Amino acid sequence: MDPAVVGSDQFGILWSKRLLGTYRGYTEQIFSQPLVYTPGGGTQYVYVATTMNIVYKINAKTGDIVLSRTLHVPFLVSDLDGCVDINPLVGVTGTGVIDPDTDTWYLTSKTYRDQTDVEKGRLNGRYYIHAIDVNTLAEKPGFPIDLEGTLSRNNPARMFQGGNAHQRPALIHESGFFYAGFASHCVQYNFTGWIVGWDSTGKIVESFVTEGGPEDPATVKGGGVWMSGGGIASDGARSLYFATGNGYASQLHGNPVPGRSPPSSLEEAAVHMTIADDGKLTPVDFFMPWEKEQLDGADKDLGTSPLELLPTSTFTCPNSKRLGVVTGKSGKTYFLNIDNLGGYTNGPNKLDAVPQVFQNENSVYAGAGVYPLEGGYVYINVIKYPTRVFKFSCDDGGNAVFTQVALTNENSAFILGVGHGTTTSLNGQPGSGLFWVTDVQGFNLRIYKAVPQNGALQLIKTANIPGTTKFTRPVFGDGRAYIGTTQGLLYAVGSPVNLPITCSSPYDFGDGFIGNSSSSGPLTISCKANINVQVTAISLTSNDFALSGLPTIPYTLTAGQNITFSARFAPTMPGSLSDDIYLNTTNGVAGYSTRTPISLKGNGRSTAPVLAITPNTVTFSGVITGQQQGGVAQSFIITNQGDTSLNITSYDFSQTSEGGPTVTPNGTASALQVGPFTFNGLPPAIPADTSVTINANFNPSHSGNFAVYLTVNSNGGSKVVDILGASGTYPQALLEFQKPDGSGWVAYDNSTPFTFGNVFEKTTKDLLMRLTNIGGSDAASLSVTVSKPPVGEMPVGAANSVDLAEGTILVPGQSANASLYCAVPYAQVNTDSYNGSAQWTLNTNDPNFGKQFIQFACNAIAEQLGPLYPNGSAEYRYLGCYKENNPGRQLKTQVYGSSSNENGRCTQACFDAGYTFAGTQYHSECWCGNNLPNLLTTEDNCNFVCAGNASQICGGNGFFADGAYISLFADSKKSFNGTNTPAGSPVVNPGNSQFKSLGCYTEGSGGRALSKLGFAGDTLTIATCFAACAGYQFAGAEYGRECKSPLRDPYHFRD
């Protein structure tokens, strides 16, 4: 990707392609990354897999859908007990991998056992592994593979259950095998992390679980491998690397364990596994944060982001030949020694034995961006905050150091979703690096120059791409980038047109010395017209480059004619410098751009020493006083950018301001202490073109805000670096809910649901839930670490997924509200009240709060009419919609026909006349009787509003206009056929002459007990189920609409 092209006006959205899926009216979503591939070296395609379990082959240039195929019916999120992280469907959510040797696309998909789209339910969920021919989208032999019932190799007590599992990480192809990681949905159910491996024939070669025992699998869960969709990593030498989430075996309990002795329970861990010749995996090294159990309690997964391996071409030091990076929900970025991950509590003071830890302001889910050119940079996308940029270096002791040197001027989204960091270059050329970010709010695509200037990344291009998927990233091919969305669209961005002029860009001037304009250049810029074109302007904004010999503007060129002029490099500062010349044109041919970029670059040098410090501000935030023995550390870099030695004349410290007064530090030159800050390794001199990394340690003895202003004076100038720190006590969370009348607040008690009180049908009550940080004035900020609101549920639900979202930060005394509702739908009068409920899973960084499953209750009440009991409920209860004239009149007596008819008046009239049953029909008629009509039907057959009250139903003519139907009520004090009139609540059907109720049973775990589907539909009753299963030994009803019997024929049971 050429930065000059990307930053030009001609770069933007090329096309958007709407996908074809239409399942149940839902929008097709892309959560797995598209794959760009050119089979056989010919046409390039984008391969897309969606949550509808549809795969696509799309022309990468035009966006035309070449082929598509539906793999399975998708899995419904409604079967996941309120987990709506991905909603409404789960199909393919993990990024697949293409084997270029066989042109095979491997991926996983979630579906159901029943592909007729009838049988649902979480435990009927299934996961399949697919191998798809990229040319035809046909399945390869030996596939798909059903993983249901697979037993773990390292812990046979664990069995794979597709309904509970979720495959989110990208797959990996390594050493001839393919591997996929699995976790759960919203840390629900009794799950474990899985690494499943297979070969190209469809043979399962590995089924490794992160909960390896001996803990009871019925009570211990955790160790999920999900990494926000990031991929399992490999070093290309038979090793895999990944990070896991929280878990509850907690085998180590603060006792130091070497990395080479991994526990059997790999929770909150960075893991290194080796691959045997048969594909089996062996854990050989691990890292686990020292506060592992505290992280579990706050649901702060280490494995929210992938463990990434940094390129050894740049990121290597004598003491850490190979390095990696992972950042978790705690906000801590861990820079790891890949060859010695660090184990558990092996560092000083039983802390982490890793090269470096950096505390960000908030949680991180996105994988780090990595730029391996120009010294090496790492980018961390923090929720709600700017992206942090770290510069790599090695200190004098041979240790790896990552120093924050810049921030973006833009914040990431205030809700979960900022994508994995991605970098590109133009054919590996220094000075051409770009850093790409996708996000779910604001500009959905942001593109920066990869190397920061003056403490910030330069934003060169933005785009709005509605519905950008959370935790996604652009994928690239032939100068274009592709981005998937949750709105059924795939986007391509790039330069849509051809250049009218071809120039030999980029032009590299090499070294140029400050103050010597003749040291570099001039170079002749030569461009050739591809079409007849007129140059209307030639522009350059940089002070480091100059143009001369420009032609008179406007300048007309015919196709094949050249335009030439000169450029000179005259640097004003040391370092890598670049800029772009733009030739503005008017063209007589369609399909060509109106702007042609030409890249210039050079390396500024100085014969004198030049002092530079990056960053100019180091901030310690969110530090809990006394939590970490020995304090926390960050670094800054002092650089001599000149060609001669830099001599430091003094280090001046002030605790007041950059202007002084100064104070005398304590300690020695190797470790100077000012207040709670200690500075290690301040040098007396720095050789030419050399950087020195300074470690700054913050270890306060009491809570408060602290600052030190360090002025470095030298023969290359003076610079100031501000060191700021804040520490406090733990935050304290107070959760409250509005009282039903809105008059005040009720504090949360995990034994009592928050209640809306009584809410009448066809009305909505809105109330607020409030979270407050009630810690003292010196408390740290309160962070929401887990938030799973009941969005979209009925009748009780959350208004949105933004309020109290994960990553919400509250300073002491600050509150944030979330809006919830109870919206009671229409119900026929005189029906029983019912309790609507919902659950919100919430956790914070308050160590005493813990994960809470907050319950909400709403008493939904229908209108009560006619004769009433003293408690206000109606004596005549609604029985349902019955068929009339079946064959003759069912209720024999019409007491009136009136334009004021409604159900309260009719039930009162029948009560006054002494009848057991009352029925309304044909809008205006009221009928009474003492015999129950023959046939109860579905409610949609009663579809006439009452003549006297249009909010009530009075009979109907049937959904298909096929007859007469009556809305029937019964006196609950009376009986008929020897049975009390039903009061409206569900009861256990006693059975009939063949079937008797045996109670409520769970289905078989190893296979269905009743596997023959006898009937499925919304009109299911116990009676229709009995009829469908007549002659069989057993009949069972489940899911409200399905009737099952044994698979074997009925005569088997009679023998």
Side-chain angles (χ1 to χ4, degrees), residues 81-85 87 186 416 769 784 786-793 796-806 818-821 838-842 854 856:
D81 303 302
C83 178
V84 292
D85 283 354
N87 189 36
C186 297
L416 292 188
M769 182 172 69
V784 176
V786 170
S787 183
K788 309 298 181 188
V791 176
E793 296 190 20
V796 180
N800 57 63
S801 58
V802 177
D803 296 342
L804 293 182
E806 292 179 18
S819 180
L820 293 103
Y821 59 80
Q839 175 178 289
W840 189 320
T841 304
L842 190 74
I854 306 160
F856 301 90

Side-chain angles (χ1 to χ4, degrees), residues 64-124:
D64 294 332
I65 295 175
V66 178
L67 291 171
S68 67
R69 173 186 163 210
T70 299
L71 304 178
H72 306 283
V73 296
F75 186 92
L76 295 172
V77 171
S78 58
D79 281 336
L80 294 177
D81 303 302
C83 178
V84 292
D85 283 354
I86 295 177
N87 189 36
L89 305 171
V90 179
V92 181
T93 56
T95 302
V97 63
I98 293 176
D99 179 2
D101 293 333
T102 62
D103 278 353
T104 305
W105 178 16
Y106 293 91
L107 53 82
T108 67
S109 63
K110 184 160 185 165
T111 181
Y112 292 100
R113 181 186 65 169
D114 172 29
Q115 291 299 298
T116 65
D117 206 24
V118 174
E119 180 186 75
K120 304 298 179 185
R122 172 172 53 85
L123 293 182
N124 290 317

